[in-house]
Amino acid sequence: MPIIQRFLTRFFIRFGLITFTLLALGPVIWAVVTSLLPLSSLTSHPIDLNPANVTVENYFLVFASSRGLVSGLINSLIIATFTSAVGLVIGSMAAYALARLNMPNSSRILMMILATQMFPGIVIVIPLFLVMSRTGLVDTHFGLIIVYLSFILPIVIWILKGFFESVPMELERAAAVDGASPFQTFRYIVLPISLPPLFATGVFAFIEAWNEFFFAIILTRIHVKTASIAIAEFSGQYQTLYGQMLASAVLASIPVVALAIIFRRFILEGFVEGAIKA
Amino acid sequence: MNSNRLVNRISRRDFLKLAGAGAASVALANFLASCAPKSDGGTLNVLVPAAPDPAPPGVGQFSLDAFEQWKKNNGFEVTYEAPPWPQLHDKMAANFASGQYVHDIIYMSGWVPEFADYLIDFADELPADIIADLPPSSFSTLTWGGKRLGVIFTLSLLTMFYNKEMLDGIGVKEAPKTWDELKGVAKELTGGGKYGWVLNYGAPEGIGGVASYWMCFLQQAGGKLYDDKGQPSFNNAAGVDSLQCMVDLMEFTDPGSLSYVGINDATNVFAAGQAAMMMNWPFMWKPANDPATSKVVGKVNAAVLPAGPAGTASIDGTDAYTITSLSPNPEGARKLIEFYLDAEVQKRQVLDTGWLPIRLSVLNDPEVQAAAPNAAVVLEQAKNPYDSYVTPDYNAVTTAIGVEIQKALAGTQSAADSIKNASDQVIEIVKKRG
């Protein structure tokens, strides 16, 4: 009986995991397959999946076309890197202050930070465009970084605050006994032991900024089009270049996937520690 | 007395703080004002869709040398912004709502009434030879409040596309002349995974949505969307008959039509040889005859849409250029539009991109008619009604109607109920129009 029970338990766990993996990977696999087929195969009814038609032509075409995928990737890289870096620097200091420095009205400040996340983008986009336009920040990297920081910072602060609160107070008291100021304690004691959550949060912020589309489409024009806009431009009113669109999407997902692979240990540790300690 | 007490309570430090805050506010306001974008008068900013959608020289690959020459002769730089099509409307809405100058020229597709307050009337200033060479009816969808707020640059009416080979296969030598004939032909051609008819009914709203297609059926049935007072007038026999005609055709329609959102989805079915007939825009002639995307090359023919009790009818794609009221250089913008309408540029437009010209002289050019055999058909279609009924709330109106039509096409509601429900909703929308 226990053997059967163990077998069934394992079977259902594996079945569940395989099903989840297939569901998660299905769209990704389909995107890769689509990117390797010519438009004539994709527009056939039913879709012609003959392996003989497989081609990398779409990948060459997206680089050759004038739709600006390369400049879009560069713009996205600049914007996402700066957003996550600045977000981590400011957000970690703010989170530490809110977690440890007994600031007056800290709970109100936290609620106000959270409240900024409750406005749908469509509500603020026109006032935002107006301000950005008057300050000459439309279609600039700086402008988009500021906007992205406005919604990434609250997330960073809330995630890191939870982690900093879980750092043993004894460590900080020991630093204080040795004469460390609050900033020195933060810089030399708290930050070094917080690398996993910092990396996890940084990667999360990078992905958010990398994938963002709505504000990018309104607040950019020509020079700072991001990768997500370049990908969307393959969809027209009268013709959608599915193969090239998906080839662009595959290329645009490479930096994010690479980031996740490189920092996977930190990401896993960060979220696990956050989950246990917070 | 109280005010004196208040003044006495303000310390020198408080006073300095207030003065500092005031000075900072003034400085910030000045900074914001100085940062506001200014046009140097030498650059024209143009918002258009990206090719292969209807795009001007410099975005579309045609008349590029002439375009460079025009810029040199007129001393202008032209900056194009070509966002993805699905975001084009939202982008211009955000720009207009901000009240800031962003563009001089904007492409419009049925949105002129919606943005009429932000556009200028410049049609009267166009050269007389250009005006005389345009179909007078081309201004109808661009006229709002008695002003002609744009100019159409491509004749884009729905006509019928059909697969000659499939029709020949059942002994039909020419396109059906009436919708009843078409249903008979579609019935014979449906079977074995192939269908007599295909169209994109998946999106309710906008030009190219299911509500706009129904407007063709409505007009051929003798109906109108609005009466002379601007009130909805389609909850009648013509309204119900027109929708019933679409419903009756569903039996012989590719069932995917209910989910196809864009015309390209439906065209793909037609171009794969899986459907025999559809209504389509003139531009699609070229992709339907392109071996890279089509399996029916050389088998496609065009015809005017079948007739109903009131004859044949279509709708207008209303692809137009407009000039914004915030443009610091409307004269330069008008000159650029005149260049887009130049006969030679219009000719290259159709020969190189497939987008028909709007100028009658170019449409009748033998070289153009040879390269775009459907041009003559579109001209013939243009002799019949093709009202798109665009209004400032066109999106809301077509969404309300389109959703009800989709229910009828899916068989979940009768045509009569759909028309009644749609009419009730449009009456409410019109009340808000004021």
Side-chain angles (χ1 to χ4, degrees), chain B residues 268-316:
Chain B
N268 288 340
V269 178
F270 178 80
Q274 299 295 307
M277 298 176 284
M278 68 182 304
M279 53 168 78
N280 212 328
W281 305 98
F283 165 77
M284 281 304 186
W285 182 266
K286 199 169 181 181
N289 282 291
D290 180 354
T293 54
S294 175
K295 291 180 180 168
V296 294
V297 176
K299 301 173 188 171
V300 184
N301 213 345
V304 292
L305 288 170
T312 180
S314 181
I315 56 166
D316 187 356

Side-chain angles (χ1 to χ4, degrees), chain A residues 39-46 48 66-67 125-126 129-131 133-136 213-214 216-223 225 229 232-242, chain B residues 32 35-37 45 51-54 79-87 90-91 94-95 97-98 100 102-103 107 260 263-265 268-269 272 274 281 283-284 292-293 295 355:
Chain A
L39 189 59
S40 55
S41 297
L42 296 168
T43 55
S44 293
H45 276 72
D48 182 1
S66 57
R67 291 174 194 266
V125 72
I126 290 174
F129 179 82
L130 190 63
V131 172
S133 176
R134 288 194 174 174
T135 50
F213 178 75
F214 179 68
I217 190 75
I218 300 292
L219 300 175
T220 64
R221 292 187 59 213
I222 300 153
H223 305 297
K225 279 185 181 177
I229 297 175
E233 283 182 355
F234 288 99
S235 167
Q237 183 188 17
Y238 292 94
Q239 198 172 46
T240 298
L241 304 171
Y242 298 104
Chain B
L32 292 177
C35 288
N45 290 294
D53 289 341
T79 304
Y80 285 118
E81 184 179 353
W85 172 267
Q87 280 72 44
D90 293 350
K91 193 159 178 69
N95 290 350
S98 76
Q100 293 286 298
V102 184
H103 300 106
Y107 161 89
Y260 299 148
I263 187 71
N264 48 346
D265 296 326
N268 288 340
V269 178
Q274 299 295 307
W281 305 98
F283 165 77
M284 281 304 186
T293 54
K295 291 180 180 168
W355 286 98

Side-chain angles (χ1 to χ4, degrees), chain A residues 82-95 98 109-110 112-114 116-117 145-161 201 204-206 208-209:
Chain A
F82 274 92
T83 302
S84 47
V86 176
L88 274 185
V89 171
I90 300 175
S92 60
M93 288 195 282
L98 288 163
I109 292 170
L110 271 168
M112 282 169 66
I113 289 169
L114 191 64
T116 61
Q117 297 295 289
I145 289 167
I146 290 177
V147 172
Y148 287 180
L149 277 174
S150 71
F151 61 82
I152 282 173
L153 259 177
I155 300 170
V156 172
I157 291 170
W158 270 88
I159 292 177
L160 290 181
K161 177 187 165 284
T201 314
F204 178 76
F206 185 92
E208 284 285 301

Side-chain angles (χ1 to χ4, degrees), chain B residues 281-364:
Chain B
W281 305 98
F283 165 77
M284 281 304 186
W285 182 266
K286 199 169 181 181
N289 282 291
D290 180 354
T293 54
S294 175
K295 291 180 180 168
V296 294
V297 176
K299 301 173 188 171
V300 184
N301 213 345
V304 292
L305 288 170
T312 180
S314 181
I315 56 166
D316 187 356
T318 73
D319 302 286
Y321 290 125
T322 60
I323 299 175
T324 66
S325 55
L326 290 168
S327 167
N329 199 342
E331 198 164 321
R334 198 198 70 234
K335 281 183 184 170
L336 182 55
I337 291 175
E338 284 174 20
F339 167 74
Y340 295 154
L341 294 173
D342 177 81
E344 195 52 38
V345 175
Q346 285 262 292
K347 189 171 174 178
R348 293 310 329 166
Q349 175 181 298
V350 57
L351 296 181
D352 296 349
T353 73
W355 286 98
L356 292 182
I358 189 65
R359 291 186 68 155
L360 296 168
S361 61
V362 184
L363 276 162
N364 286 308

